[in-house]
Amino acid sequence: MKIIKKTLLTLLFPALMFLVMLAITASSDKCYVNGQFIFLQPDMVRQVLINACMTICVALAIWLQLKNGRFDFSAGANMILSAIIAGNVGLQTDSPILALLTAVAVSIVLSCFTASMYIFGRVPIIITTIGATLLFESLTYLVYGGTGVRAFYSNAHLAVFGRLPGIFLPTGIAIAAFVIFVYFTTQGRKGKILSNNQTAGVNIGINEKSNIGASYIFTGIILGMAAIIYVSQNTVTPQSGLSTSGIMFSYIVPVFMGMFIGLASCDVVGIIIAAIGMEILNYGLNCLNLGAGGWQQIIMGVFVLGFYSFSGQLGNIQAWLARLKKNKTEA
Amino acid sequence: MKKFTKSLVALMLVFMMALGCLSAASAEPKHAKIGVAFYQDTGYAVVATKAYLESLSDALNVEFVYAVLTQTDESANLATIQNLISAGVDGIICTMDLGTNSIIEECEMAGVYLAGYLCDYDTSYTQNFDRVFKSEYFLGTATDGQNPDDTTIGHTMLSSLLEYNARAEKPLTHVSMAIFPTWAFPSQLFGAQQFVEDVEEYNKTAENPITVDPLDEEVDVLMFSPMNTTYFSKHPGIEGIISFAAGTSFVYPTMVQAGMDKDIRLFTTGFEGGEENNFGTKGTMTFQQNMVSAVESITYPLVLILNKINGVDFPDMPETAERISTSQFCINSDEDLDVFVHSIYYTGNAADAMFTPDQVLAMTAFGNPDATYAGLRDLLAHMTIEDIAK
Amino acid sequence: MSTKTNTAEKQNPFLVFLGKHVYDIAAYAGLAVTLILFLIFGGKRLSYNAQTVLQTSAPTIIIALGAVFVYSMGYMDVSVGQQVGVYAILMIMIINAVGGVLGVVLGFLAVLALALLCGAFNGAVAVWLKLPSIVTSLFLMFFFTGAQLLLMESTGTNSISVPTSLLRPADRDTYNLVLIIIIVVVTLVVTYFSRFTKLGKYTRGIGANETATAQSGVNTTKWKVIAYMAFGVCVALGSYVMLMRTGSAGKGTGTGYAMDIMICLILGGMPLSGGMKSKVSSALVGTLTYVLLTNDLTTMGVDLNMINFVKALIFIVIILITCRKRGGVLPR
């Protein structure tokens, strides 16, 4: 019974999102072309799945560090640099598997570099990762003559990990890496202690440095998966001026929402569900021609604030409901 | 006939340049430092332009400094121009009309000449003509293709479409369009209207009439971000897209993501690399036409700036600065592509440029007393894909 | 305790001073190096370069000075770039609609009121709704990005403008003098409020330990709101100073300011966690270092593709010296 309740609560968000968008799009002329309703098309499932896979990978990478008390600014730059190198290796070798392995290897190396800079530099994590971001972004201009990677996504054979059903492989690996580290390794559990009380954790003998190292290796694996999906779907150009943080921020909303939705189950499920819900919202906005431009930004902002306000007040709402129930029983 | 006329003009000019080379052999140009402010920092056009300019360095006694402008922030662009002036440049070639009022003011104060490349300077042309185009320090601009008042891209697009239909087993009879906002590229809206009018005219006598979906302001106007995946739901049944919005990355990735790249043919401006794998009869055959501006058109602003620095003007130099339309290579077939891949735009190799350094020197007023403004303008307006093959 | 004191007393006073001020020295050394490079490579256009640096850095310095109050509390505002963009567009629209000096005054006052409102929103709503301050700032970022796009779409052009003669003195020297005066006045005012009033004391206290500050009887909500509103004043003023430069604004005006300000403050030695080590000088030193560095790299003719790499390396070296924490757990 409890499992059913949890499942229903978890699925509530995307279901609600779907129903709300269905109602809004159904009432708009813009969503009918030649008399056909364009929201309920097979294309919706396809787009939601493809976009959600990418979102899940980046969101998990951000969340893995965030739940350990570290906000890693460099995740976007790491992903872009890995994608450029992996894409070019893929083009040179004509092998998507080699591209995937390169993405993971490069991403792990970059993650370990960030971790080392943090551990040995002893500089606050945000500042460290801003430094790493600037460095990784600058390297995007120096590798492969600063041309980025353009032709990878257009080759169906190479871009298999950016399309259905191939996209499920990197997404599955990213989810597995997250679950294994967080729930099935000692370092994952130690990380939880450190995030709750860093000083106490260190005092009871947890080696913070090795814990950070391990968490960054797993983050590297997840970001490598995000990189291979990204390069399989997009032209990847060199970036500068912390613009990669913008790419990262575009995937951050499901992280925060996933934390909340995950209360009914666990964080990884919360993030997956949040990503799907957000992509349904985006698809609906696209149908309404609000998928880009000013109104999309404002709707997104209101959504973020509203969602946070609701989750921030959840305790009060629960207490109020409990009081209401108690009063009724007494009456 | 048209091609013959173009070739004749080109031949005459090359002959005049060759004469000029001989007479200019002894002239030693003054040393100049030119700043080149690109609208983006990477890509084929940037690499090729740099290679072309560097190849001219010795012959013209000029040194180049590069910078990157933003496409949206006037203040940042002014700072970039100020930094170039700080670096001691004598002239600046600028690829963006954003914050031009303050930029021209800065140039006037520092005594630095300004000229445009790959930009129609339409905002300045229509709103601040006196301030910018009549300034002593603004020398003119070479547009990325045609000026808004000189648009022919609609005709070119239909011609490419009909050329494809003539050779294709299944001709395209239903197409849609994509453009950038009018406030940024008015010529694209004119081009789209021209295309629709041409199609209507063609349909009067056509065996297979072509349906063009009318421009939907909310769907077909790309706000400098990739096309939305719902584009295909909103244009059901299309077989081709005519994209005036330069840069395949605004349209093609969305086609791939939506799984439409095998079913829909794309006619577009802007070559970004990778298109060759799916062009004509290759790969998914998505690309059937591609239009690219010749990087050699930077010769126009360069020559005008160098003339000023050397204190010699063309005898027919117009009193007010002009914006000139420049040639675009139109790649319509596998054969055209085979030629195009030998251009400097594709190879990034200065040896593949259409003009040698001596020929460029002969285009200048200080390097060739016979050189004229009209000659320079006409030459740059008549570069065709056939010229690459030569 | 006494042993430690004795050891310190026995040490060379110069070394003690060096150890105490190593972060400040590193920040100033960074500025000194960029200044030396500026003098060497400025060449024949040194005076022009100095004007360029002044004009480029003025808006950033003013906004960064205001940001000191927010960063002192350990918070940040990611919406500042979009706010600057919208404020610039609004000022132009109002000036064009009303015209003349009255338009300029009304435009600035309208923007100032909006900036104060945003400051209050950032400070108060986060507390009332129990939200991390980054969320309200994220909301404002989304909101202002959208507003900027919609405002520009309504104009149907890429860029809107007013004559700069309405905004600043036509004479260059007078304009530069006005900029210097504005910077000096804002620096003095911010320094005064930061060092000699409750605002500075409490914002640093909130950054050091918010719970302890609240338990000592300070109304932290009130001071958060005041700090954000003070920042708002500087954002409005900075937007005006930025507008003085070009007289025009568009869809991307202000882009990158949030990150630039963060980088400038870090380069100036400001701890992002806030607290007692927060100082006003970070804004000045950091911004000048950052602007001079960009100018130096261009005048030195560093390859376009290498500029970002060199900047990143310099940033990393400076933060490794200025932001390094000794002992204890790793800083977050």
Side-chain angles (χ1 to χ4, degrees):
Chain A
M1 193 61 195
K2 207 175 174 185
I3 292 176
I4 295 171
K5 193 181 165 189
K6 278 187 171 182
T7 312
L8 285 175
L9 277 174
T10 307
L11 294 176
L12 191 65
F13 172 69
L16 267 177
M17 191 61 82
F18 177 76
L19 291 173
V20 168
M21 291 320 294
L22 181 67
I24 295 173
T25 50
S27 59
S28 167
D29 290 345
K30 290 174 184 173
C31 301
Y32 294 89
V33 178
N34 301 337
Q36 201 175 4
F37 184 43
I38 59 168
F39 182 69
L40 285 180
Q41 297 268 328
D43 181 54
M44 186 192 83
V45 180
R46 174 199 172 87
Q47 290 305 326
V48 166
L49 282 178
I50 286 179
N51 295 336
C53 283
M54 179 67 208
T55 309
I56 288 166
C57 289
V58 184
L60 285 177
I62 297 169
W63 177 231
L64 184 59
Q65 288 306 319
L66 202 58
K67 78 178 285 171
N68 283 290
R70 295 181 289 271
F71 186 80
D72 185 352
F73 228 82
S74 67
N78 181 326
M79 182 182 80
I80 294 296
L81 182 56
S82 305
I84 289 175
I85 296 173
N88 279 292
V89 168
L91 283 169
Q92 284 162 1
T93 58
D94 195 35
S95 165
I97 301 290
L98 262 181
L100 184 138
L101 293 175
T102 308
V104 175
V106 174
S107 189
I108 290 175
V109 169
L110 297 178
S111 292
C112 288
F113 174 82
T114 308
S116 308
M117 210 164 94
Y118 177 49
I119 292 167
F120 299 112
R122 301 189 64 82
V123 171
I125 189 70
I126 290 188
I127 302 178
T128 302
T129 53
I130 287 175
T133 307
L134 290 172
L135 185 69
F136 298 162
E137 283 183 350
S138 70
L139 290 176
T140 61
Y141 284 90
L142 300 179
V143 294
Y144 298 100
T147 53
V149 56
R150 292 169 191 273
F152 191 89
Y153 73 91
S154 59
N155 183 320
H157 159 67
L158 285 175
V160 63
F161 297 122
R163 303 173 185 202
L164 290 174
I167 197 168
F168 291 133
L169 179 73
T171 313
I173 295 174
I175 294 170
F178 182 91
V179 170
I180 289 169
F181 177 74
V182 174
Y183 298 109
F184 296 102
T185 64
T186 324
Q187 291 290 10
R189 292 191 204 100
K190 285 177 179 172
K192 202 172 177 183
I193 297 171
L194 285 169
S195 68
N196 286 334
N197 191 327
Q198 196 183 4
T199 312
V202 171
N203 287 343
I204 61 169
I206 295 175
N207 185 337
E208 199 183 8
K209 291 173 184 171
S210 66
N211 186 269
I212 290 167
S215 78
Y216 266 98
I217 288 172
F218 277 86
T219 303
I221 295 172
I222 299 170
L223 280 176
M225 297 305 153
I228 193 69
I229 297 177
Y230 193 79
V231 75
S232 301
Q233 294 179 344
N234 300 285
T235 294
V236 190
T237 52
Q239 304 285 325
S240 61
L242 297 181
S243 56
T244 52
S245 62
I247 297 174
M248 191 184 72
F249 273 127
S250 64
Y251 296 105
I252 210 164
V253 176
V255 176
F256 294 128
M257 284 171 43
M259 284 156 60
F260 174 68
I261 296 167
L263 292 174
S265 50
C266 63
D267 51 4
V268 65
V269 175
I271 285 176
I272 294 169
I273 293 294
I276 292 171
M278 285 305 295
E279 293 308 333
I280 293 173
L281 170 74
N282 282 333
Y283 191 84
L285 290 176
N286 285 339
C287 289
L288 293 161
N289 296 335
L290 295 173
W295 284 113
Q296 188 244 7
Q297 294 288 327
I298 292 173
I299 291 168
M300 197 58 84
V302 171
F303 187 80
V304 168
L305 187 71
F307 189 85
Y308 259 98
S309 306
F310 177 71
S311 53
Q313 301 301 318
L314 192 68
N316 291 342
I317 295 168
Q318 280 173 337
W320 179 74
L321 285 173
R323 269 203 310 276
L324 205 70
K325 202 174 173 184
K326 197 179 164 190
N327 289 346
K328 267 188 182 173
T329 320
E330 281 172 2
Chain B
M1 187 64 194
K2 220 175 181 181
K3 274 184 183 174
F4 175 76
T5 318
K6 280 182 188 176
S7 305
L8 198 68
V9 170
L11 260 174
M12 280 170 63
L13 287 163
V14 169
F15 178 70
M16 280 171 66
M17 285 185 323
L19 278 179
C21 284
L22 293 173
S23 62
S26 59
E28 177 61 31
K30 278 186 195 168
H31 178 75
K33 194 171 184 180
I34 307 281
V36 184
F38 290 108
Y39 64 94
Q40 59 181 21
D41 44 19
T42 60
Y44 276 62
V46 174
V47 172
T49 308
K50 279 185 186 174
Y52 178 61
L53 291 176
E54 293 302 332
S55 76
L56 305 176
S57 189
D58 289 339
L60 300 172
N61 196 15
V62 60
E63 165 190 2
F64 295 99
V65 189
Y66 303 101
V68 184
L69 300 166
T70 77
Q71 301 193 32
T72 48
D73 191 345
E74 296 86 348
S75 186
N77 285 354
L78 176 60
T80 304
I81 296 299
Q82 285 180 322
N83 283 338
L84 281 175
I85 295 172
S86 299
V89 298
D90 306 296
I92 296 171
I93 297 174
C94 196
T95 59
M96 186 79 61
D97 180 24
L98 195 67
T100 307
N101 272 5
S102 47
I103 286 172
I104 200 76
E105 185 186 329
E106 208 62 32
C107 288
E108 284 169 348
M109 201 199 77
V112 169
Y113 294 102
L114 182 75
Y117 164 57
L118 293 182
C119 179
D120 57 18
Y121 273 76
D122 199 63
T123 308
S124 297
Y125 194 84
T126 52
Q127 293 172 25
N128 300 302
F129 187 85
D130 287 354
R131 180 71 195 90
V132 178
F133 279 77
K134 286 190 177 172
S135 165
E136 189 190 338
Y137 285 89
F138 185 77
L139 304 179
T141 182
T143 301
D144 185 6
Q146 283 98 27
N147 289 325
D149 41 18
D150 192 21
T151 302
T152 57
I153 192 169
H155 305 314
T156 314
M157 283 294 190
L158 180 64
S159 154
S160 297
L161 176 59
L162 296 181
E163 199 174 322
Y164 170 77
N165 278 355
R167 67 170 181 266
E169 281 177 24
K170 190 174 172 286
L172 307 182
T173 54
H174 185 184
V175 297
S176 61
M177 298 178 289
I179 60 168
F180 282 139
T182 314
W183 49 259
F185 289 98
S187 61
Q188 295 188 0
L189 179 64
F190 300 152
Q193 288 165 346
Q194 197 173 58
F195 176 73
V196 172
E197 284 164 14
D198 283 7
V199 169
E200 281 168 3
E201 194 60 36
Y202 166 79
N203 282 348
K204 286 177 186 169
T205 54
E207 272 180 44
N208 297 311
I210 298 166
T211 308
V212 185
D213 282 2
L215 266 182
D216 181 335
E217 205 172 299
E218 290 185 337
V219 181
D220 304 340
V221 180
L222 311 181
M223 303 303 285
F224 299 102
S225 55
M227 174 185 275
N228 204 298
T229 49
T230 52
Y231 181 92
F232 305 103
S233 305
K234 303 215 169 182
H235 289 292
I238 53 164
E239 298 159 332
I241 296 175
I242 309 295
S243 174
F244 298 90
T248 53
S249 57
F250 289 101
V251 179
Y252 184 56
T254 311
M255 292 175 71
V256 173
Q257 206 181 346
M260 293 292 179
D261 52 327
K262 291 191 195 82
D263 308 322
I264 294 176
R265 304 285 174 255
L266 179 60
F267 299 73
T268 182
T269 51
F271 186 96
E272 295 180 351
E275 290 90 339
E276 63 274 32
N277 301 325
N278 297 301
F279 195 98
T281 56
K282 295 191 188 79
T284 54
M285 303 192 292
T286 313
F287 295 96
Q288 291 301 330
Q289 187 249 34
N290 204 300
M291 288 175 78
V292 180
S293 287
V295 296
E296 288 89 342
S297 56
I298 200 171
T299 311
Y300 176 78
L302 179 66
V303 165
L304 296 187
I305 290 176
L306 289 177
N307 279 352
K308 284 283 179 194
I309 292 168
N310 283 277
V312 192
D313 258 343
F314 290 122
D316 57 343
M317 184 73 189
E319 271 184 31
T320 308
E322 289 186 338
R323 53 177 185 176
I324 63 159
S325 297
T326 59
S327 306
Q328 285 196 304
F329 300 133
C330 190
I331 311 161
N332 276 321
S333 60
D334 289 348
E335 292 75 31
D336 285 349
L337 185 69
D338 289 343
V339 174
F340 175 71
V341 295
H342 293 103
S343 69
I344 183 175
Y345 187 100
Y346 188 86
T347 63
N349 183 356
D352 295 323
M354 284 194 281
F355 307 126
T356 64
D358 285 340
Q359 284 175 327
V360 176
L361 181 62
M363 291 181 208
T364 62
F366 58 90
N368 175 11
D370 299 326
T372 60
Y373 177 79
L376 175 70
R377 194 186 53 201
D378 291 346
L379 183 63
L380 297 177
H382 292 107
M383 293 181 288
T384 65
I385 199 155
E386 285 85 14
D387 296 321
I388 300 172
K390 289 171 199 163
Chain C
M1 185 71 186
S2 61
T3 323
K4 269 187 185 173
T5 317
N6 290 341
T7 320
E9 278 168 0
K10 280 174 198 170
Q11 278 178 351
N12 184 334
F14 177 70
L15 290 177
V16 174
F17 175 83
L18 208 64
K20 236 179 172 180
H21 296 278
V22 64
Y23 302 145
D24 292 335
I25 291 168
Y28 282 101
L31 177 61
V33 170
T34 51
L35 195 61
I36 290 166
L37 289 174
F38 173 77
L39 293 172
I40 294 172
F41 291 96
K44 58 182 180 182
R45 286 184 173 154
L46 196 60
S47 153
Y48 177 84
N49 288 7
Q51 290 179 39
T52 300
V53 169
L54 174 68
Q55 289 167 18
T56 314
S57 59
T60 316
I61 287 177
I62 292 163
I63 298 171
L65 281 166
V68 167
F69 292 119
V70 173
Y71 278 76
S72 296
M73 299 188 292
Y75 300 152
M76 61 173 74
D77 186 352
V78 293
S79 69
V80 59
Q82 283 71 25
Q83 285 192 48
V84 168
V86 170
Y87 297 162
I89 293 168
L90 281 178
M91 274 193 271
I92 292 173
M93 285 179 156
I94 294 171
I95 294 168
N96 283 336
V98 179
V101 181
L102 182 66
V104 177
V105 174
L106 282 180
F108 180 72
L109 288 178
V111 159
L112 182 64
L114 195 58
L116 288 170
L117 196 69
C118 287
F121 182 87
N122 255 332
V125 174
V127 177
W128 291 337
L129 294 176
K130 293 180 184 167
L131 304 173
S133 68
I134 186 83
V135 173
T136 46
S137 137
L138 208 60
F139 162 74
L140 287 178
M141 186 189 84
F142 279 122
F143 180 83
F144 278 105
T145 305
Q148 190 168 6
L149 289 173
L150 293 174
L151 281 172
M152 283 313 295
E153 274 168 27
S154 73
T155 65
T157 62
N158 194 18
S159 172
I160 53 171
S161 59
V162 285
T164 46
S165 55
L166 268 177
L167 304 167
R168 62 169 157 91
D171 174 53
R172 282 265 163 169
D173 293 337
T174 320
Y175 169 43
N176 291 330
L177 187 66
V178 168
L179 286 180
I180 291 170
I181 291 170
I182 293 175
I183 291 172
V184 169
V185 169
V186 175
T187 307
L188 289 176
V189 171
V190 170
T191 307
Y192 171 75
F193 277 102
S194 178
R195 295 191 62 175
F196 304 110
T197 68
K198 286 177 183 173
L199 177 61
K201 191 176 160 189
Y202 292 158
T203 49
R204 284 197 295 274
I206 290 169
N209 191 328
E210 186 171 347
T211 315
T213 310
Q215 283 176 350
S216 62
V218 176
N219 182 347
T220 51
T221 306
K222 176 182 148 189
W223 290 105
K224 275 183 197 175
V225 171
I226 293 173
Y228 269 107
M229 287 172 85
F231 179 40
V233 173
C234 289
V235 175
L237 190 58
S239 306
Y240 181 80
V241 171
M242 190 208 67
L243 194 58
M244 283 164 83
R245 263 167 69 66
T246 61
S248 53
K251 286 187 173 187
T253 303
T255 308
Y257 262 97
M259 292 302 160
D260 282 354
I261 281 160
M262 193 196 294
I263 291 174
C264 290
L265 288 172
I266 291 170
L267 284 176
M270 166 71 96
L272 286 191
S273 52
M276 295 306 171
K277 284 188 177 172
S278 310
K279 48 195 178 298
V280 176
S281 61
S282 308
L284 277 172
V285 174
T287 309
L288 284 174
T289 307
Y290 190 62
V291 174
L292 279 171
L293 182 63
T294 308
N295 187 284
D296 292 346
L297 292 173
T298 313
T299 51
M300 287 162 73
V302 175
D303 181 65
L304 214 55
N305 285 351
M306 285 297 289
I307 283 183
N308 291 330
F309 182 66
V310 174
K311 271 187 179 176
L313 284 184
I314 291 171
F315 180 83
I316 288 171
V317 168
I318 292 180
I319 59 163
L320 285 176
I321 299 168
T322 58
C323 304
R324 187 178 166 83
K325 299 273 159 65
R326 290 185 192 133
V329 295
L330 288 168
R332 285 184 175 166

